[in-house]
Amino acid sequence: MKNVIQIANDHLKELEDEAIFVMREVAAQFEKKVILFSGGKDSIVLVHLARKAFWPAKMPFSLLHIDTSHNFEETLKFRDNLAKELGVELIVRYVKDSIAQGKAVEETGINASRNKAQSITLLDAIEELQVDVAVGGGRRDEEKARAKERFFSYRNEFGQWDPKNQRPELWNIFNGYKNFGEHIRVFPISNWTELDVWQYIMSERIRLPKLYYTHRRKIFQRNGVFLAWAPFMQLKTTERVFEANVRCRTIGDITCTGVTISKAENLEEIVTEIAATRITERGGRYDDKRSEAAMEDRKKEGYF
């Protein structure tokens, strides 16, 4: 007999209402608005919320993706299909272009990744497109640096984040004031947990890339993290590639996205798995293991 998943719909409705309120505040206060879209579950939920917030009108956001050229092919295909289905503008900027222009340096070695270089490409895109506000899917439960974020996160003229220089948000009053050259990042689902996200996806029947469900993939293990193998990844002499049934809990660049050994084939099984796990969502993100303050350092430089 299968477990029956009980979903607290009142709780999800409160979170949805809060996120929609924040998105409508964004629409009211800013002109050039983008959703930072990675093709991951949180950014997909953001798009779903934006559609609901402004239905039947078209949502007033473009989708901005910073592509490392080391992304999962399934994610890119889902991204393109979703933008086409919704009829929204999809803007893609490439880290490889920043490297070619000498603005970013290609990492070398076993742990090489373009993940950190995304900050440079993102800030260049924000300046080029004259973006006033970038809406992201960051949540406070993910990581201690993100727990310091407000809904409206002020960024200075260099795109940098100072956790000590953020504005109070009493009585749901959001201050979007900025000077020329500055911008605001907004995180409508800040108060959601990973379990909230999955329960909402199940409740709303939101489509996701198949990477989130169990599938057969070539992987290897490094420093306690299972990583998907790709031809451009270097292996240590002690590492071996093998096949296993895995799924992703969070999706980003292949070089830093950990996978989970799992047999979860549907949303009900994923929710049951997440509710029982003792490992945090970002416990499988290899880029967070570079240092104790890896995420905070990247955010101060302009990262998502």
Side-chain angles (χ1 to χ4, degrees):
M1 182 177 178
K2 290 186 176 181
N3 294 330
V4 178
I5 303 296
Q6 298 292 332
I7 297 179
N9 287 318
D10 290 344
H11 171 64
L12 292 181
K13 186 64 169 63
E14 288 179 4
L15 291 174
E16 180 188 71
D17 289 345
E18 179 181 65
I20 286 175
F21 175 77
V22 172
M23 284 194 160
R24 288 173 177 166
E25 279 292 305
V26 170
Q29 294 193 42
F30 301 99
E31 293 184 15
K32 183 63 175 181
K33 304 171 282 290
V34 299
I35 289 177
L36 299 175
F37 190 79
S38 65
K41 67 182 187 308
D42 296 317
S43 59
I44 293 170
V45 166
L46 283 182
V47 172
H48 181 82
L49 289 165
R51 292 180 69 189
K52 294 189 79 169
F54 301 99
W55 182 265
K58 184 178 177 181
M59 67 179 191
F61 301 97
S62 300
L63 305 183
L64 174 61
H65 183 215
I66 305 302
D67 191 339
T68 64
S69 299
H70 290 165
N71 298 98
F72 290 95
E73 189 62 35
E74 297 93 329
T75 306
L76 300 180
K77 189 175 296 184
F78 186 94
R79 175 201 71 186
D80 295 343
N81 290 340
L82 182 63
K84 185 177 180 179
E85 174 188 325
L86 300 180
V88 299
E89 181 185 25
L90 172 63
I91 305 168
V92 182
R93 293 295 181 267
Y94 296 92
V95 172
K96 64 182 181 181
D97 292 338
S98 298
I99 294 172
Q101 295 163 9
K103 296 180 178 179
V105 177
E106 181 88 78
E107 291 185 358
T108 59
I110 294 293
N111 295 310
S113 174
R114 291 179 176 177
N115 195 53
K116 186 176 180 181
Q118 288 181 91
S119 301
I120 297 169
T121 311
L122 172 61
L123 293 178
D124 281 350
I126 287 173
E127 182 178 4
E128 171 202 345
L129 301 168
Q130 297 185 326
V131 169
D132 296 312
V133 61
V135 180
R139 307 187 323 270
R140 295 190 182 110
D141 79 313
E142 290 182 275
E143 203 271 343
K144 55 191 175 184
R146 288 185 169 175
K148 300 177 183 180
E149 285 283 15
R150 307 290 172 88
F151 281 105
F152 276 40
S153 178
Y154 165 77
R155 304 297 170 108
N156 64 21
E157 64 271 26
F158 302 106
Q160 295 175 324
W161 172 71
D162 180 359
K164 297 179 181 180
N165 185 28
Q166 299 299 315
R167 298 160 181 172
E169 294 179 341
L170 304 175
W171 306 293
N172 288 333
I173 297 175
F174 302 116
N175 181 359
Y177 176 80
K178 65 178 189 62
N179 294 311
F180 181 77
E182 300 170 343
H183 72 279
I184 305 292
R185 307 276 177 92
V186 174
F187 303 99
I189 60 172
S190 289
N191 288 333
W192 297 41
T193 65
E194 182 189 9
L195 186 58
D196 292 331
V197 171
W198 280 111
Q199 289 184 328
Y200 185 75
I201 289 169
M202 186 167 70
S203 178
E204 295 286 301
R205 300 180 180 179
I206 300 173
R207 288 187 295 107
L208 297 173
K210 62 182 181 180
L211 291 167
Y212 281 112
Y213 304 95
T214 188
H215 59 284
R216 199 77 175 166
R217 181 174 291 275
K218 291 182 178 180
I219 66 172
F220 63 97
Q221 189 173 23
R222 176 174 294 171
N223 296 337
V225 177
F226 290 111
L227 294 169
W229 176 83
F232 53 79
M233 297 181 72
Q234 296 184 43
L235 297 177
K236 299 178 182 178
T237 56
T238 56
E239 295 171 340
R240 65 181 184 87
V241 176
F242 61 97
E243 286 194 357
N245 291 324
V246 299
R247 70 176 194 85
C248 296
R249 285 176 68 182
T250 176
I251 295 177
D253 187 301
I254 293 176
T255 61
C256 62
T257 299
V259 295
T260 301
I261 305 293
S262 173
K263 295 181 179 179
E265 297 179 339
N266 54 56
L267 291 173
E268 289 79 4
E269 292 176 353
I270 290 175
V271 169
T272 300
E273 187 177 272
I274 295 300
T277 188
R278 298 280 183 172
I279 301 173
T280 63
E281 180 180 10
R282 293 194 69 91
R285 284 298 291 257
Y286 194 74
D287 51 332
D288 288 351
K289 299 184 181 298
R290 293 193 170 202
S291 74
E292 282 293 319
M295 170 61 80
E296 183 156 338
D297 291 341
R298 291 199 302 276
K299 284 178 67 63
K300 287 179 179 179
E301 294 171 358
Y303 188 71
F304 306 118

